[in-house]
Amino acid sequence: MNLVVMKFGGTSVEDAKSILRTAGIVATRRDQGASPIVVVSAMAKVTDQLLAAAAAAGRGDRFGALAISARLRNRHHDTARALVAPLPIGVAAPSPGATAAGGTIGNIEGWINTKFDSLDEILRGLAAVGELTPRTSDLVVSFGERLSSRLVAEAFSARGLNAVHVEARKCIVTDAQHGRAIPQDALIEERLREHVLPLLEQGLLPVMGGFVGSTVENVTTTLGRGGSDFTAALVGSGLNASVIEIWTDVDGIMTTDPRICPDALRVRSVSFEEAAELAYFGAKVLHPATILPAVQKNIPVAVLNSRNPSNEGTRITALAPHCRSPFKCIAVKKRLTIIDVVASRMLMSHGYLKSIFDVFDKHKCAVDMVSTSEVSVSLTVDSNEQLPEIAADLSKLADVKYEGRKALVCMVGEDIRGQNGMAAQVFQAIRHINMRMISQGASEINMSFMVEESDADEAVRSLHAAFFTDPDPVIFDVTARLAKAGEPVESVRL
């Protein structure tokens, strides 16, 4: 069975037109002999609005929270009504009685009302208590994917795709770390084989929401923002899929953010290692954790554009061809803060660095970059709301100061390994920009440095002009690498 996990982001299911376009993409995969499993995000902007409703209710603003819910209710109803409008010429009508999870698509409006009635009840309770806990926040925000996945399943089924809605919370088992729950891989694989595999074997099309999960006690959890990508990777890994497709609204991974550099180019192929670096250091196409389950099972990941499905997108594999440029991409991460910890009396003292990092561990604050000098340690973080508490704890060890509004520029590419003079070329390209911190030795495939946030876009444009003129892979490069690794050249599709 050629299993293909197809994850569609919020912009791919944001309205009836987008959902119909998505249905066409899935139908094409089926016509090509694939057995798709579809994972969908909430409709575009719905997650933000649900978070806003939860926050309003937590402040005791019952009216504001219910107003947001009412707007979302109307939006989902409008989408459902548009999906039951007369079918366009050339689109096949569904078979008589075609159903998805709960009945014909014409009956979904009653189901939508039931779900929003439940949401409103939760919001009223929150407003009465005046307190929003992480557990309740997860429950509120989960409604986005629960609604969109059922709506998409109904729309697919009504168009003859034999879709069946699968409740993601039955399959994605996590711990109880609300807001960023950790998946339990063995249980997820067991649940997928119980709830999803039999549907595929019957020729049905499973549709499930991303981002949400539940504990073994059936308490709703979420995987963190962007977690629908993570869900797709977990499903692909659990069922040993042939490929995981991430459908978004851009033509794959670009050499840099097109909003910063309009002449950014599509990169045809990157390695798992390169993609993981890009995701962590600010690239928005993929959730950072998406790569991990795929790496473990060596499952290729394709990043594709639902608004331009004929585009080849970007393919992420264990081995990827080099570019003519030494780098593949530039990522930029803004709104960072540099923390300087200075304590000459503690120089070379045993346990000093451990004491510093224990402070960040206490506050569950991730550190992006570290640089040490003779008398100080400099670190960069993006958790600005906790800085006063972090600085207070660090001040017990040393003198502390911090500066905000910094940006990290990260240049990624496996081809920089062992190349002489690479740093000199980078620094020459941005000689007019002041750099604060530099890192290269921590990873053989990236070169990173900090600049003022106001200089970040100019730095990216200057570097792009210097290095990113031709990202397309060179065919003989990858064949040589595969031959060296003992793998057949025919196994690669460029």
Side-chain angles (χ1 to χ4, degrees):
M1 190 184 303
N2 180 23
L3 298 183
V4 178
V5 178
M6 305 177 72
K7 178 264 175 177
F8 292 90
T11 56
S12 298
V13 294
E14 63 184 347
D15 53 27
K17 180 180 178 180
S18 299
I19 292 172
L20 291 176
R21 183 168 56 230
T22 296
I25 294 171
V26 175
T28 298
R29 282 289 180 273
R30 276 197 145 184
D31 292 343
Q32 294 169 346
S35 297
I37 308 162
V38 174
V39 176
V40 298
S41 299
M43 296 169 70
K45 307 300 182 183
V46 166
T47 298
D48 290 336
Q49 291 171 296
L50 287 169
L51 286 170
R59 295 191 303 269
D61 182 6
R62 176 173 171 271
F63 177 80
L66 292 176
I68 294 172
S69 177
R71 290 194 293 271
L72 290 175
R73 185 192 295 249
N74 290 336
R75 179 179 175 187
H76 284 81
H77 276 307
D78 289 345
T79 302
R81 292 181 189 119
L83 287 169
V84 298
L87 294 172
I89 295 175
V91 177
S95 56
T99 62
T104 65
I105 194 167
N107 296 328
I108 194 172
E109 290 196 73
W111 181 85
I112 291 172
N113 277 329
T114 299
K115 290 303 170 188
F116 274 101
D117 289 346
S118 297
L119 174 60
D120 288 349
E121 185 177 350
I122 294 168
L123 294 174
R124 290 189 188 98
L126 278 174
V129 174
E131 181 183 1
L132 177 63
T133 65
R135 173 172 171 166
T136 310
S137 179
D138 272 358
L139 180 58
V140 171
V141 81
S142 72
F143 277 84
E145 273 73 13
R146 290 159 62 188
L147 286 158
S148 67
S149 58
R150 177 63 180 272
L151 182 57
V152 168
E154 297 278 3
F156 283 9
S157 185
R159 280 152 181 81
L161 287 174
N162 297 321
V164 178
H165 181 249
V166 176
E167 172 56 72
R169 292 176 296 174
K170 291 183 178 179
C171 299
I172 307 302
V173 185
T174 74
D175 67 3
Q177 187 173 310
H178 292 283
R180 192 174 291 180
I182 298 174
Q184 309 300 297
D185 294 346
L187 286 174
I188 290 172
E189 183 169 346
E190 179 183 314
R191 298 284 184 90
L192 288 169
R193 294 191 176 279
E194 177 185 354
H195 296 289
V196 177
L197 191 57
L199 301 176
L200 292 165
E201 290 172 343
Q202 296 172 48
L204 300 174
L205 172 62
V207 179
M208 60 194 296
F211 177 58
V212 297
S214 70
T215 66
V216 291
E217 294 82 15
N218 297 319
V219 176
T220 299
T221 58
T222 64
L223 303 177
R225 296 303 301 269
S228 292
D229 292 348
F230 200 1
T231 299
L234 291 167
V235 172
S237 175
L239 293 175
N240 293 311
S242 302
V243 64
I244 299 165
E245 297 180 347
I246 306 296
W247 290 86
T248 180
D249 55 2
V250 294
D251 288 338
I253 295 176
M254 309 295 284
T255 47
T256 195
D257 188 339
R259 293 169 297 182
I260 297 175
C261 189
D263 57 347
L265 302 168
R266 177 178 62 89
V267 182
R268 186 180 297 171
S269 180
V270 299
S271 69
F272 284 129
E273 194 175 0
E274 289 170 330
E277 292 276 347
L278 286 166
Y280 182 78
F281 285 105
K284 302 300 183 183
V285 175
L286 289 175
H287 183 271
T290 300
I291 305 303
L292 299 180
V295 170
Q296 292 168 356
K297 294 289 184 71
N298 196 24
I299 300 171
V301 177
V303 182
L304 302 160
N305 188 352
S306 64
R307 297 176 180 176
N308 184 19
S310 62
N311 190 282
E312 295 177 350
T314 299
R315 193 171 178 86
I316 307 170
T317 56
L319 290 173
H322 291 166
C323 298
R324 295 184 179 90
S325 166
F327 297 103
K328 284 281 179 75
C329 307
I330 302 176
V332 59
K333 196 172 185 178
K334 298 183 179 179
R335 298 182 180 178
L336 300 182
T337 298
I338 295 178
I339 302 176
D340 292 319
V341 185
V342 183
S344 56
R345 58 186 170 83
M346 296 289 288
L347 179 63
M348 301 300 290
S349 174
H350 177 72
Y352 177 49
L353 287 177
K354 178 181 182 299
S355 299
I356 291 176
F357 284 103
D358 280 347
V359 171
F360 290 94
D361 181 61
K362 171 186 173 182
H363 294 279
K364 293 181 170 57
C365 178
V367 174
D368 290 307
M369 185 188 295
V370 180
S371 178
T372 61
S373 68
E374 191 172 353
V375 296
S376 68
V377 178
S378 296
L379 313 97
T380 67
V381 300
D382 62 1
S383 182
N384 296 328
E385 64 275 6
Q386 293 181 299
L387 281 177
E389 293 85 355
I390 292 171
D393 285 346
L394 288 173
S395 64
K396 300 172 185 176
L397 305 172
D399 295 328
V400 180
K401 62 179 181 178
Y402 54 88
E403 298 178 56
R405 299 184 179 180
K406 301 295 185 288
L408 185 150
V409 178
C410 176
M411 306 186 67
V412 173
E414 289 188 339
D415 210 20
I416 68 176
R417 288 173 167 149
Q419 288 211 23
N420 296 328
M422 192 55 57
Q425 295 179 47
V426 170
F427 300 150
Q428 176 65 19
I430 54 170
R431 59 191 181 277
H432 56 298
I433 294 174
N434 182 42
M435 285 185 287
R436 288 293 307 275
M437 293 173 62
I438 302 168
S439 174
Q440 183 179 6
S443 169
E444 292 185 339
I445 70 166
N446 92 50
M447 185 181 300
S448 305
F449 52 87
M450 299 290 296
V451 298
E452 296 293 332
E453 192 171 80
S454 58
D455 291 332
D457 290 359
E458 174 59 27
V460 169
R461 285 189 286 267
S462 296
L463 289 165
H464 196 276
F467 290 101
F468 295 88
T469 56
D470 188 357
D472 286 340
V474 181
I475 293 176
F476 66 81
D477 223 358
V478 72
T479 57
R481 294 179 70 202
L482 284 171
K484 184 177 180 181
E487 294 186 31
V489 172
E490 293 79 5
S491 66
V492 171
R493 293 169 56 195
L494 295 172

